[in-house]
Amino acid sequence: MKTLKLGLASTVLAVGLAASTAHAETLKFAFQGTLNQLDPYSLNETFTLSALGNVYEGLTRRNANLEIEPSLAESWEVVEPNRWRFHLRKGVKFHNGNDFTAEDVAFSVERLHGEGSDLATRVNSEVKVEIVDDYTVDFVLPGPNPILHYEWDTWYIMDKDWTEANNAVAITSASDTTPNFAALNTNGTGPFKIVSHEPGVKTLYEKNADWWDQASHNLDTVEFTPIGSDATRVAALLSGELDMVYPIPVQDIKRVNDNAGTEVLTGPELRTIFLGMDQRRDELLYSDVKGKNPFKDVKVRKAVYQAIDIEGIKSKIMRDLSTPSAIMISPFLFSRSGELERYPYDPEAAKALLAEAGYADGFSVGMDCPNDRYVNDEAICQAVASMLARVGIKVDLNAQPKAKYFAKVLASGGYDTSFYLLGWTPGSFDYWNIISNIEGCRDDAGKGGLFNLGGYCNEKIEELNGKILVENDPAARDELIAQAMKITQEDVSHIPLHQQGLAWGFKSGIELVQRADNQFHFRFVTKK
């Protein structure tokens, strides 16, 4: 069995996580965004996956240091170059009492690739699943894949019998307005059960007393309330109404730390915030340019890049709680990340590029942005719009709550965007995830780079993508990745902005783990 070693320790605020569970507690917490659907395949978004990761489990999971460890699979091995065998944990029960078996794994693979799934890339569609016995499953691959299981901690296994009995095999996508049973109810194997769920209002968790693992937390119930207003969220923490809230706005960190009985835990996040442009359509959906698409011209894309004052965003909007990035992955996750630099901020160069491309008078374009998903997301988009206006590009900003935003811009919404802001943490903590999901060619049906919203496509990247996936030699693999990074930078496939920082606020006396993937797991929490 192999484990992934990141060399990036998470921030742990605890002396010992194995605290006594004799004194049960209720944890009340808030996040800036909502938890809408409970279907674990509906939305590939960190908060949703984190919230459901307290209820559902994968074959693997990640510990406090983000290392891969066994979960519903006790062990695994590569029995042939293209065949992986997983030995499942015996005696595990779903929350309704059903036994967990190999049939549930096979069913979950099949459902993962159903229409409306936002997590289909967790398992390649060409992978075949063979049930060896009730507690042994083989995954037969079309070719070698050394990172097959790297993002399986967020591919959650569902109960076949429960899903079928409740007519919930079909997935409720992010754009669906009629939820099925699995979108409003859960049945996992994890340490907590969801016993009450009002979409966008409140969700109540209860400890699973029959969890297969030994609990190190001391929580009996957890109450989640979404609070979009920064001021309201912080006030609820300072007043003692809530035990933990995140994110804490950068301008309020000192205030929370100075308040008696509350504190803020900050740390690096692996997420990269970036801008994307529609490079696929012959005419933009939202622009005054008709009959052609200005973003198909690399000069225009580079002009947008060079019009953005990233240091201004860092200092004025992020209050220095961000790290400007030249690449689409956290530098912690790639050893050669220092080889590429950002294109310099240069408004005059941007104007010259626009003139060369035939847009000396500029143009208008619509921009989609969430306003409750990333740290200062709407403020970043407003700043970008202001900066682009200085070089002649008029931005019509459409900032919406994340539920409406994702329903519009993702595959389920037909990639309905011309220009957008998005954040991405590679689930595998590996650059192949970036290429496969964000930089890989796709068609209009979403085949290929599922989260390549702008439709960027370069056949050289496709070729490198295939080579990176099967390369086992670390140095050779890094060289292939470096080549891909250089090509996408020259193409301005996307515009990386920064890695945002984490800021969680909580009452003194609470012990928790702040992982760099920004997932909040109750199993790491004790409340005194």
Side-chain angles (χ1 to χ4, degrees):
M1 182 180 67
K2 300 178 181 179
T3 57
L4 175 65
K5 299 289 186 181
L6 277 180
L8 175 66
S10 59
T11 306
V12 181
L13 188 74
V15 176
L17 287 174
S20 169
T21 58
H23 183 53
E25 296 282 359
T26 294
L27 177 79
K28 297 181 179 181
F29 83 101
F31 178 68
Q32 66 178 358
T34 58
L35 176 62
N36 295 306
Q37 299 180 27
L38 302 181
D39 189 323
Y41 302 164
S42 286
L43 188 59
N44 188 17
E45 182 240 351
T46 297
F47 176 73
T48 298
L49 294 175
S50 172
L52 295 178
N54 292 294
V55 177
Y56 288 100
E57 295 176 299
L59 297 182
T60 66
R61 69 184 182 189
R62 292 186 182 272
N63 63 20
N65 294 311
L66 292 174
E67 299 161 333
I68 293 174
E69 63 182 23
S71 183
L72 293 182
E74 288 185 316
S75 63
W76 52 90
E77 71 263 4
V78 181
V79 294
E80 297 172 4
N82 294 0
R83 181 183 293 267
W84 288 54
R85 177 162 293 170
F86 285 77
H87 302 280
L88 307 182
R89 194 176 299 278
K90 298 178 181 178
V92 175
K93 291 187 180 294
F94 288 96
H95 295 158
N96 68 347
N98 287 352
D99 291 327
F100 160 68
T101 68
E103 279 196 354
D104 300 307
V105 176
F107 167 78
S108 295
V109 173
E110 182 178 357
R111 188 176 188 273
L112 191 69
H113 293 109
E115 183 179 356
S117 172
D118 205 33
L119 282 86
T121 56
R122 293 293 192 273
V123 181
N124 188 303
S125 60
E126 297 180 18
V127 172
K128 292 181 172 55
V129 180
E130 295 181 0
I131 296 177
V132 179
D133 57 43
D134 283 350
Y135 295 98
T136 310
V137 179
D138 282 1
F139 289 80
V140 184
L141 287 55
N145 180 356
I147 60 169
L148 173 71
H149 63 312
Y150 272 27
E151 50 188 319
W152 282 8
D153 57 303
T154 51
W155 165 43
Y156 302 131
I157 304 303
M158 298 188 70
D159 178 1
K160 178 178 185 292
D161 291 342
W162 176 85
T163 309
E164 291 177 343
N166 288 291
N167 195 29
V169 174
I171 296 167
T172 301
S173 77
S175 301
D176 288 337
T177 56
T178 306
N180 68 17
F181 191 82
L184 298 174
N185 299 272
T186 59
N187 184 37
T189 58
F192 289 85
K193 308 174 183 180
I194 288 180
V195 294
S196 174
H197 177 62
E198 299 175 70
V201 179
K202 180 170 286 188
T203 303
L204 179 64
Y205 298 79
E206 183 179 276
K207 177 180 67 176
N208 176 18
D210 298 319
W211 188 38
W212 59 266
D213 201 2
Q214 181 177 355
S216 60
H217 66 85
N218 72 335
L219 304 178
D220 187 47
T221 57
V222 177
E223 295 180 12
F224 163 65
T225 305
I227 302 179
S229 165
D230 289 342
T232 304
R233 195 166 60 250
V234 171
L237 175 67
L238 296 179
S239 69
E241 179 184 347
L242 294 176
D243 300 304
M244 184 271 192
V245 305
Y246 74 115
I248 295 294
V250 289
Q251 64 271 20
D252 288 324
I253 291 176
K254 184 178 186 301
R255 179 184 171 205
V256 174
N257 277 329
D258 288 346
N259 180 65
T262 60
E263 50 194 300
V264 177
L265 185 62
T266 60
E269 186 178 10
L270 301 178
R271 182 184 316 280
T272 299
I273 305 298
F274 64 92
L275 300 175
M277 298 151 282
D278 180 0
Q279 302 167 52
R280 181 172 175 79
R281 293 181 176 90
D282 292 329
E283 180 180 303
L284 292 176
L285 295 175
Y286 306 99
S287 176
D288 62 356
V289 178
K290 303 304 176 185
K292 59 180 179 178
N293 178 351
F295 288 144
K296 282 182 176 283
D297 192 328
V298 67
K299 292 178 182 177
V300 174
R301 301 195 297 272
K302 189 175 181 182
V304 174
Y305 195 134
Q306 292 203 260
I308 296 172
D309 180 5
I310 195 62
E311 290 297 332
I313 291 174
K314 175 185 177 182
S315 62
K316 295 178 182 178
I317 296 175
M318 300 302 292
R319 305 287 182 98
D320 292 325
L321 197 66
S322 66
T323 304
S325 180
I327 57 177
M328 293 288 286
I329 193 170
S330 166
F332 288 115
L333 301 179
F334 184 56
S335 61
R336 295 174 58 175
S337 60
E339 295 180 11
L340 293 177
E341 296 181 356
R342 289 185 59 85
Y343 288 119
Y345 167 57
D346 191 337
E348 294 306 314
K351 291 178 183 178
L353 285 166
L354 287 173
E356 288 178 33
Y359 301 98
D361 296 328
F363 60 91
S364 72
V365 63
M367 181 182 190
D368 291 289
C369 182
N371 60 18
D372 63 353
R373 177 59 196 94
Y374 311 113
V375 177
N376 294 334
D377 41 17
E378 184 174 6
I380 293 169
C381 290
Q382 289 172 341
V384 168
S386 177
M387 293 167 186
L388 291 181
R390 296 171 195 159
V391 301
I393 300 176
K394 180 181 181 297
V395 173
D396 297 318
L397 181 60
N398 179 26
Q400 302 182 89
K402 66 173 184 174
K404 292 183 177 180
Y405 168 78
F406 286 126
K408 182 177 188 289
V409 305
L410 295 181
S412 59
Y415 298 113
D416 182 12
T417 186
S418 296
F419 185 37
Y420 60 91
L421 177 138
L422 194 66
W424 192 263
T425 302
S428 61
F429 303 151
D430 178 89
Y431 197 79
W432 178 83
N433 174 280
I434 303 290
I435 299 177
S436 179
N437 286 282
I438 297 176
E439 296 173 343
C441 298
R442 68 157 175 84
D443 59 24
D444 290 332
K447 300 294 184 183
L450 187 61
F451 298 92
N452 181 0
L453 310 187
Y456 165 75
C457 184
N458 186 318
E459 293 301 327
K460 292 180 181 178
I461 295 298
E462 292 294 287
E463 181 183 346
L464 286 168
N465 189 22
K467 291 180 179 178
I468 291 168
L469 178 62
V470 301
E471 180 56 64
N472 286 306
D473 179 76
R477 200 167 190 274
D478 282 355
E479 173 58 29
L480 293 170
I481 290 172
Q483 291 177 31
M485 283 184 173
K486 184 177 180 181
I487 291 170
T488 54
Q489 184 182 55
E490 291 173 350
D491 285 347
V492 193
S493 67
H494 299 81
I495 301 175
L497 297 178
H498 57 241
Q499 278 82 42
Q500 63 184 27
L502 299 178
W504 295 5
F506 52 93
K507 287 182 179 178
S508 301
I510 290 178
E511 298 175 346
L512 50 78
V513 171
Q514 183 186 72
R515 300 194 325 191
D517 63 354
N518 201 24
Q519 290 201 34
F520 178 41
H521 285 274
F522 311 152
R523 64 189 173 98
F524 295 130
V525 179
T526 57
K527 182 180 177 182
K528 295 181 180 178

